[in-house]
Amino acid sequence: MMEINVEVVSKEIIKPSSPTSTHLRTYHLSFLDQISSHVYNPFVLFYQNHKNLNNHNLLHLYSTNIKKSLSNLLSRYHLFAGRLKQTTVDCNDEGIPYFEAKINCKLSDFLQNPDPQQLHKFIAFELNGLGLDLLLGLQFNLFNCGGIAIGICISHKVADAISCLLFIKNLAATTRGCTDDDDDQNKIVWPKFESAKLFPPKEASALGRPGGVVIPTLKIVTRRFVFGSDKIESLRAKYQEEDGATRRPSRVETLSAFITSRFMAALKVGFGDDKRRLVIGHAFNLRKRVDPPLEENSFGNIARPFVKVLSSNNMSDVMSQMRELIVSGDDKEHAKSLQKEGIDPTLNFFEQHADELMKGELVCICFTSICRFPLYVDFGWGKPSWVATNPFPYKNFVVLADSRLGGIEAYIDMEEEDMVKFQNDQELL
């Protein structure tokens, strides 16, 4: 994997094209926002230079269009141009950082074997969000061949993956010149800011540990694993036969179970004299699970992880237990407890088992899937060659995303020593 050098050549602040109305100057965080960490959701979109424009023209034309669109969009996403406070966002129109950077290689060279450890170079902030009150940043990266990488990072404190991707989709559509009067394919769907009404905030004293999970200080490394369609279909058939189920497991169920089983094998969790127990977690979109159901443009953190302690460390049982976890995501009582009572069973679980987790008696691996989400969006110069993300800097965290060529990419964060064992697992290879 090649080492790339990214040189930031300009920095500026993009402000909304029109001022925020007085009645919108304070954005209240919801209960789900309050218990979410202020870390950044990063997305990097890579575009080839199909029009063969030279670097100066590209930088001027494309970057100028994005800045103009971003300014217009901030008038609709008024909180992004504000600053994060303890329980609110001060929508003061101070604007968002916009960086322009040059890359010392060709895009094609980088894409031959992309290194997820270098993705942070394409975005404006460190993922951990420490010391920052900013909610959004964008970095326009230009390769020396004219290829482009658009790096966007949005704070998880105010937005889940669906809200982030809707914003990126709207930014791309606005840059293409689309409006909310266009046909269904190009029509811009604006966000609905209603999460604080749906999930009323709590007093700080009632929240327990703010942010839930503390970002570890151990060295975490990220690796990207690509599972082709044939591999996934083979695993689906295998798990269906072993489980004796009439329904073939989904792609996400299959890969989640497979990665979990290889994780257990590589780290010897529960093997022999090892008394550790494994906790599996999966994040779920709650928009269709609350009452009444919400539209996908409902903005905020309207997703939460569900967790399950494996009742058996027998790897042949992992698929059935993973399926039980994912089926539990449809339990509307869980969503009801969040919405009506302000009770999060997952947060309570981690609070109750904090000592076991700290001592390593419980080992947790958590998944989130953005498969079938609109990742590959067009800013006006064609669809991207690749869209990359990067997990939050948490131990044993997995993001599943569609590959443009079919199959699924898994971005996996682990401690460096564990990753060495995991990536050398023969069944994984």
Side-chain angles (χ1 to χ4, degrees), residues 148-196:
I148 294 171
I150 306 296
I152 300 173
C153 49
I154 299 173
S155 175
H156 187 30
K157 193 66 176 175
V158 296
D160 59 16
I162 288 181
S163 294
C164 293
L165 292 170
L166 177 63
F167 173 80
I168 295 172
K169 181 181 178 182
N170 284 344
L171 178 60
T174 305
T175 306
R176 291 199 314 272
C178 300
T179 69
D180 45 4
D181 294 323
D182 286 345
D183 57 43
D184 288 343
Q185 184 174 357
N186 294 308
K187 184 176 181 179
I188 295 179
V189 179
W190 298 114
K192 292 183 177 179
F193 299 104
E194 53 190 354
S195 61

Side-chain angles (χ1 to χ4, degrees), residues 379-399:
F379 278 81
W381 51 80
K383 292 291 182 73
S385 300
W386 183 44
V387 177
T389 186
N390 208 28
F392 302 133
Y394 297 152
K395 179 180 176 179
N396 305 335
F397 192 74
V398 183
V399 175

Side-chain angles (χ1 to χ4, degrees), residues 14-18 20 24 27 69-82 89 91-93 95-96 135-136 154 158-159 162-171 174 188-193 296-300:
I14 305 298
K15 296 190 176 185
S17 59
S18 58
T20 298
L24 297 175
Y27 178 89
S69 301
L70 185 57
S71 178
N72 290 332
L73 211 59
L74 289 176
S75 295
R76 296 275 192 162
Y77 287 85
H78 53 281
L79 78 162
F80 281 158
V89 177
C91 305
N92 53 21
D93 295 338
I96 67 112
L135 299 174
L136 167 67
I154 299 173
V158 296
I162 288 181
S163 294
C164 293
L165 292 170
L166 177 63
F167 173 80
I168 295 172
K169 181 181 178 182
N170 284 344
L171 178 60
T174 305
I188 295 179
V189 179
W190 298 114
K192 292 183 177 179
F193 299 104
E296 291 297 283
N297 61 327
S298 291
F299 183 91

Side-chain angles (χ1 to χ4, degrees), residues 239 256-272 274 276 278 310 312-316 318 363 365 414 417-429:
Y239 280 131
S256 300
F258 178 67
I259 291 170
T260 299
S261 67
R262 302 329 308 158
F263 173 80
M264 293 170 62
L267 275 63
K268 308 298 182 186
V269 177
F271 281 52
D274 190 302
R276 292 177 295 172
L278 189 69
L310 293 192
S312 165
N313 280 349
N314 187 333
M315 286 194 292
S316 63
V318 171
V363 179
I365 182 168
M414 288 184 189
E417 183 178 341
D418 292 343
M419 181 62 78
V420 171
K421 299 173 185 176
F422 179 78
Q423 66 185 7
N424 289 320
D425 178 83
Q426 291 303 305
E427 288 196 35
L428 185 69
L429 299 175

Side-chain angles (χ1 to χ4, degrees), residues 26-31 33-36 38 83-90 132-133 135 157-158 201-208 210-211:
T26 299
Y27 178 89
H28 294 277
L29 300 183
S30 72
F31 169 54
D33 294 332
Q34 288 178 305
I35 60 177
S36 297
H38 179 42
R83 296 296 181 263
L84 180 65
K85 304 300 180 184
Q86 185 174 4
T87 59
T88 62
V89 177
D90 181 6
L132 295 176
D133 58 359
L135 299 174
K157 193 66 176 175
V158 296
K202 285 187 168 186
E203 294 293 332
S205 59
L207 292 174

Side-chain angles (χ1 to χ4, degrees), residues 10-261:
S10 72
K11 296 182 179 182
E12 60 183 293
I13 297 295
I14 305 298
K15 296 190 176 185
S17 59
S18 58
T20 298
S21 300
T22 303
H23 71 285
L24 297 175
R25 297 282 291 191
T26 299
Y27 178 89
H28 294 277
L29 300 183
S30 72
F31 169 54
L32 299 188
D33 294 332
Q34 288 178 305
I35 60 177
S36 297
S37 298
H38 179 42
V39 294
Y40 290 104
N41 281 304
F43 297 92
V44 187
L45 300 88
F46 295 87
Y47 297 87
Q48 299 283 356
N49 178 14
H50 294 298
K51 296 184 179 180
N52 294 317
L53 295 175
N54 64 45
N55 285 10
H56 177 76
N57 287 340
L58 274 173
L59 189 64
H60 178 74
L61 177 63
Y62 290 166
S63 184
T64 299
N65 286 346
I66 289 179
K67 286 189 284 187
K68 180 180 178 182
S69 301
L70 185 57
S71 178
N72 290 332
L73 211 59
L74 289 176
S75 295
R76 296 275 192 162
Y77 287 85
H78 53 281
L79 78 162
F80 281 158
R83 296 296 181 263
L84 180 65
K85 304 300 180 184
Q86 185 174 4
T87 59
T88 62
V89 177
D90 181 6
C91 305
N92 53 21
D93 295 338
E94 288 190 9
I96 67 112
Y98 182 94
F99 298 170
E100 292 176 345
K102 291 184 177 180
I103 317 295
N104 69 331
C105 68
K106 294 181 179 179
L107 175 57
S108 58
D109 292 339
F110 175 75
L111 291 181
Q112 282 182 1
N113 191 15
D115 179 6
Q117 289 287 110
Q118 299 195 68
L119 289 176
H120 70 280
K121 297 178 180 180
F122 296 98
I123 60 177
F125 309 136
E126 292 292 333
L127 295 186
N128 59 28
L130 293 176
L132 295 176
D133 58 359
L134 300 163
L135 299 174
L136 167 67
L138 192 147
Q139 185 166 307
F140 181 94
N141 305 275
L142 188 66
F143 288 82
N144 60 20
C145 61
I148 294 171
I150 306 296
I152 300 173
C153 49
I154 299 173
S155 175
H156 187 30
K157 193 66 176 175
V158 296
D160 59 16
I162 288 181
S163 294
C164 293
L165 292 170
L166 177 63
F167 173 80
I168 295 172
K169 181 181 178 182
N170 284 344
L171 178 60
T174 305
T175 306
R176 291 199 314 272
C178 300
T179 69
D180 45 4
D181 294 323
D182 286 345
D183 57 43
D184 288 343
Q185 184 174 357
N186 294 308
K187 184 176 181 179
I188 295 179
V189 179
W190 298 114
K192 292 183 177 179
F193 299 104
E194 53 190 354
S195 61
K197 294 180 181 178
L198 299 167
F199 302 94
K202 285 187 168 186
E203 294 293 332
S205 59
L207 292 174
R209 301 183 185 187
V213 181
V214 177
I215 298 173
T217 56
L218 299 174
K219 184 173 183 182
I220 301 296
V221 296
T222 304
R223 296 290 183 267
R224 169 178 167 261
F225 299 84
V226 181
F227 297 90
S229 298
D230 292 345
K231 172 72 171 179
I232 296 172
E233 290 307 309
S234 175
L235 287 170
R236 292 179 73 189
K238 173 178 176 287
Y239 280 131
Q240 183 182 21
E241 181 179 353
E242 290 179 352
D243 202 30
T246 56
R247 179 179 71 84
R248 177 172 287 199
S250 70
R251 299 185 310 154
V252 169
E253 288 173 337
T254 298
L255 273 190
S256 300
F258 178 67
I259 291 170
T260 299
S261 67

Side-chain angles (χ1 to χ4, degrees), residues 3 111 116 135 255 282 291 293 324 362:
E3 183 73 21
L111 291 181
L135 299 174
L255 273 190
H282 235 294
D291 185 22
E324 287 176 12
L362 280 178

